[in-house]
Amino acid sequence: MLEIIRQCFKQHFTANGKLYAAPGRINLIGEHTDYNLGFVLPGAIDKSFYMMVAPNGTQVCNVFSPHFNAMVSFNVDDTDIPEAQWSRYVYGEVKELQALGCKIGGFDAVVASDIPIGAGISSSAAFTTVTGVALNDLFDLGLNRMQLAKAGQMCEHHYVGVRCGIMDQFASLHGEEGKLIRLDCRSLEYQLVPFSPQGLKIVLLDTLVKHSLASSEYNLRRADCEAGVAHLKQSYPHIESLRDVTMEMLEAHRSEVTPVVYNRCSFVIEENQRLLDACAALEQGDYKSVGLYMYGSHHGLSKKYEVSCPELDLIQEVAQKHDGVLGARMMGGGFGGCTINLVQEEAVEDFILACKERYNKKLWKELRPIEVAIGSGARIIS
Ligand code: GLA
């Protein structure tokens, strides 16, 4: 991958470029909690978006993608969003950095990634993050990692159309090898949690399904949660987000909100608690309990938050019945993508085979296992 990027750069541009990487992420538990200002438990992975880039002394940004075999050019002052969907991540990030008052000149860049697209492991956040990290360094912008995470998040809001939380960008920037990050999305305080369970492996199974409604449904879930908060605020004026709401408060006003809003809110409150309980279990090395919380998370995501799909439910069910599996759930925004499974090392092969067979037999589809290790956050490579 890095060789391809270097060759492309030489082929299309003249100057020597610097090479940057920003990883995708997994999330052990705590889904759809970030934009509700709760907790998440992600980790960066050993798969990244890469950008080789050099300033070109003009006002024009040229970005080449070997994957699409396409070059997109725009002026730093352009207000028209480029047509090519993939290039919006770079254009949008430039605009967000400018909105922070940063002065950005023209540049030549090659971008490529070894993160499977659409698998729910945040290739898009990695793309904006690598752009932010590269431009921050190249033009000496002086932004810190938190500012870069927020700029990436805003790029998704304004130029991709997903009102995402901060988890993905944060994990891509703050990850460390062998460690998960317990992030409080309200205070933005975080702790690194060592995660290298003896005899267990994280296995990701990609359904290779991506529903076209994923981003609009994501925004609707967020709106449902906001509707719940707006209603409860009438009785509890101090409430700013679902983080401030207890199950008792929600139950007391259950009949005043729609069943859908009730389900969405109760899922988020429960998911936050599951995460805190899972962290306590992790501290004790009690992976069996961690796994049970993962099952609980999937059940809520599927039945209450309704962001799963038949493909995810099927392989999660196979996992839950498999003797060698401790925990399994869908991961990320949902409506496709992958499951994250906590599996006994010696059972991994058999487990993957069992899922593949069932998936193929029942749905006539291929399942793609993705091997990941918990890696470090965004960085300069050379
Ligand atoms: C996507 C978003 C994140 C988060 C997850 C669900 O990955 O980008 O901010 O909301 O979905 O937990």
Side-chain angles (χ1 to χ4, degrees), residues 25 27 30-35 40 120 122 124-125 153 156 162-169 218 301 330-334:
R25 60 104 191 90
N27 185 29
E31 220 64 87
H32 289 273
T33 43
D34 59 352
Y35 53 84
V40 288
S122 288
S124 61
Q153 182 193 15
E156 295 264 356
V162 180
R163 294 180 62 215
C164 65
I166 193 83
M167 167 169 73
D168 305 350
Q169 295 78 7
Y218 182 96
L301 285 160
M330 57 148 279
M331 189 178 77

Side-chain angles (χ1 to χ4, degrees), residues 148-224:
L148 288 172
K150 285 183 181 167
Q153 182 193 15
M154 286 306 117
C155 174
E156 295 264 356
H157 282 214
H158 300 142
Y159 297 93
V160 185
V162 180
R163 294 180 62 215
C164 65
I166 193 83
M167 167 169 73
D168 305 350
Q169 295 78 7
F170 187 93
S172 183
L173 280 150
H174 293 82
E176 281 189 22
E177 228 166 276
K179 292 184 181 132
L180 297 175
I181 313 166
R182 178 187 180 277
L183 171 67
D184 179 338
C185 299
R186 181 168 64 184
S187 66
L188 296 178
E189 279 167 9
Y190 67 98
Q191 286 102 42
L192 294 167
V193 180
F195 186 80
S196 45
Q198 283 290 306
L200 297 177
K201 275 203 116 166
I202 292 277
V203 176
L204 303 185
L205 294 175
D206 186 0
T207 58
L208 296 174
V209 171
K210 183 157 173 59
H211 290 288
S212 56
L213 288 177
S215 42
S216 53
E217 287 293 327
Y218 182 96
N219 291 343
L220 282 177
R221 294 301 176 280
R222 189 168 173 158
D224 289 339

Side-chain angles (χ1 to χ4, degrees), residues 130-150:
V130 78
T131 307
V133 166
L135 299 183
N136 190 37
D137 187 51
L138 219 58
F139 295 108
D140 226 351
L141 305 180
L143 299 175
N144 62 34
R145 287 189 172 241
M146 192 56 88
Q147 287 172 306
L148 288 172
K150 285 183 181 167

Side-chain angles (χ1 to χ4, degrees), residues 280-348:
L282 270 180
E283 247 174 57
Q284 305 296 317
D286 177 4
Y287 293 99
K288 200 158 181 260
S289 297
V290 173
L292 293 178
Y293 295 124
M294 290 170 76
Y295 291 140
S297 171
H298 183 84
H299 188 263
L301 285 160
S302 176
K303 303 289 180 273
K304 286 188 161 184
Y305 217 63
E306 296 180 284
V307 290
S308 187
C309 61
E311 292 86 350
L312 286 166
D313 285 346
L314 178 76
I315 50 170
Q316 194 277 340
E317 191 191 310
V318 176
Q320 195 157 351
K321 286 184 181 150
H322 195 286
D323 284 344
V325 178
L326 278 82
R329 61 178 204 85
M330 57 148 279
M331 189 178 77
F335 305 104
C338 69
T339 57
I340 178 168
N341 306 272
L342 193 54
V343 189
Q344 284 165 357
E345 226 150 31
E346 66 273 13
V348 167

Side-chain angles (χ1 to χ4, degrees), residues 52 58 109 114-115 126 129 147 161 193 248 267 276 292 313 317 324 370 375:
M52 188 160 218
T58 72
D114 57 8
I115 306 173
T129 300
Q147 287 172 306
V193 180
E248 290 69 35
F267 164 75
L276 295 174
L292 293 178
D313 285 346
E317 191 191 310
I370 304 174

